[in-house]
Amino acid sequence: MIRFMLVATVAVALSAAVLPVSNASAAETPTAGMVVTCSEMCGGCVKKVEKRFAEDKGIASVACDIPTKTVVFQAAPGFALNARGIWTAMNKIGKTPVQLVEPNGTVHTKKPD
């Protein structure tokens, strides 16, 4: 009985980890966002970044990833992301970017001190 319950539990866990694949066309998939890499990222950093951009109507979403020290910005419909504006805003809250990659592939990096 215990063996059956273990197998059933594993099967449920595996099915939850596999999501259905969408057949969406390329036109329906969202474009890549602007990716900013910082020198450090922690829970406090995430709160600062989210708070700073929460009221910005031109930004649809901000996703912070602590392990990779990155922040991904998605523009709201009808808006374009501005690399200089995002870099400056990140600097003002103390999250100095070391690299910023724009949706078109342009890479900006901080010059060594």
Side-chain angles (χ1 to χ4, degrees):
M1 179 68 167
I2 292 175
R3 184 175 182 186
F4 173 77
M5 289 174 54
L6 178 60
V7 171
T9 303
V10 170
V12 169
L14 288 176
S15 67
V18 179
L19 299 175
V21 176
S22 171
N23 290 328
S25 69
E28 295 171 334
T29 57
T31 58
M34 188 174 290
V35 180
V36 177
T37 304
C38 300
S39 59
E40 62 180 43
M41 182 70 64
C42 67
C45 300
V46 171
K47 288 179 184 177
K48 279 185 178 181
V49 171
E50 289 175 346
K51 181 179 178 183
R52 164 57 186 90
F53 294 100
E55 299 299 320
D56 193 325
K57 65 181 181 177
I59 297 179
S61 68
V62 176
C64 300
D65 185 46
I66 294 172
T68 61
K69 302 176 187 175
T70 58
V71 182
V72 178
F73 295 91
Q74 293 289 338
F79 289 88
L81 297 172
N82 179 300
R84 181 172 292 190
I86 289 178
W87 189 287
T88 302
M90 294 289 287
N91 262 331
K92 285 184 179 178
I93 60 171
K95 302 308 333 143
T96 304
V98 293
Q99 181 175 328
L100 183 146
V101 181
E102 293 189 71
N104 65 5
T106 303
V107 178
H108 308 273
T109 56
K110 179 182 177 189
K111 294 180 179 156
D113 295 330

